[in-house]
Amino acid sequence: MVGVSDETPDSPEPAAEPAGPQAAAATAPPPRKRLTLLLSVAAVVWVLDVITKIAAVHYLTPGQPVSIIGDTVTWTLVRNSGAAFSMATGYTWVLTLVATGVVVGIIWMGRRLVSPWWALGLGMILGGALGNLVDRFFRSPGPLRGHVVDFLSIGWWPVFNVADPAVVGGAILLVVLSLFGFDFDAPARRKAEPDPEPQT
């Protein structure tokens, strides 16, 4: 009579955990959370920009600077038809279309975001772009040609608003992240070092 063995078959071993950048991507927070961070940062920048512009239009008079620190830092109300820091004046409708494309592109990228730093940088750019787009669409002389409200003057620097440094600061942050190998849809883009060959 054949005896039945008491030994049970070995249970399958658990699959090995992914290592390297793949493991970091697997454990990264869901993109939805990063999109929420992006939109939150954009909302803060946009609200600050809108409120400060309304206050500037209400309390300041064009051509009459108000001193903050002598003549170096002043409140100076200016209507700007150009880009950030009064650049590219005369191309208002082109700048409006470009800014609209930037907003659409950032929202599209936001669906795949993993890096919180990219979410911060893109949120700053999105908030600033939306702030100036509101002026482009709703201020005189008309839609797509509206002049942006600028109100802060520092030394020789062109007059600017809250949206301008937010856009520039966000762009600088994204450049730094790219230089250090961080991508918007992965925690890091560093290449894994090849395994050393065994010595014989």
Side-chain angles (χ1 to χ4, degrees):
M1 180 176 182
V2 180
V4 179
S5 174
D6 294 334
E7 297 180 357
T8 57
D10 296 335
S11 58
E13 296 181 357
E17 293 290 335
Q22 294 181 350
T27 58
R32 184 182 298 272
K33 292 184 179 180
R34 298 313 182 202
L35 180 59
T36 301
L37 175 60
L38 185 156
L39 295 178
S40 299
V41 172
V44 171
V45 173
W46 179 73
V47 169
L48 287 176
D49 184 66
V50 171
I51 291 176
T52 52
K53 285 176 179 176
I54 292 175
V57 171
H58 182 76
Y59 292 106
L60 299 178
T61 302
Q64 297 182 11
V66 177
S67 175
I68 302 175
I69 304 177
D71 294 332
T72 304
V73 182
T74 62
W75 301 116
T76 304
L77 181 60
V78 173
R79 303 284 183 159
N80 174 22
S81 62
F85 303 110
S86 301
M87 295 184 294
T89 57
Y91 296 92
T92 308
W93 69 273
V94 176
L95 297 172
T96 304
L97 295 179
V98 170
T100 303
V102 169
V103 169
V104 173
I106 290 176
I107 294 175
W108 177 83
M109 292 176 64
R111 300 179 305 168
R112 300 172 54 193
L113 272 178
V114 173
S115 169
W117 294 107
W118 271 83
L120 174 61
L122 289 173
M124 294 170 63
I125 296 174
L126 178 60
L130 287 174
N132 285 337
L133 271 180
V134 170
D135 288 358
R136 300 294 188 198
F137 280 104
F138 298 105
R139 294 191 184 276
S140 61
L144 297 181
R145 297 176 292 110
H147 293 179
V148 173
V149 173
D150 292 332
F151 53 84
L152 184 58
S153 175
I154 300 178
W156 54 267
W157 201 259
V159 185
F160 60 94
N161 53 42
V162 172
D164 294 339
V167 170
V168 174
I172 292 174
L173 176 58
L174 298 189
V175 170
V176 172
L177 291 173
S178 297
L179 291 176
F180 281 90
F182 289 88
D183 204 353
F184 71 94
D185 58 354
R189 197 177 56 232
R190 295 185 177 90
K191 295 181 179 179
E193 296 182 0
D195 296 333
E197 296 182 359
Q199 297 180 355
T200 56

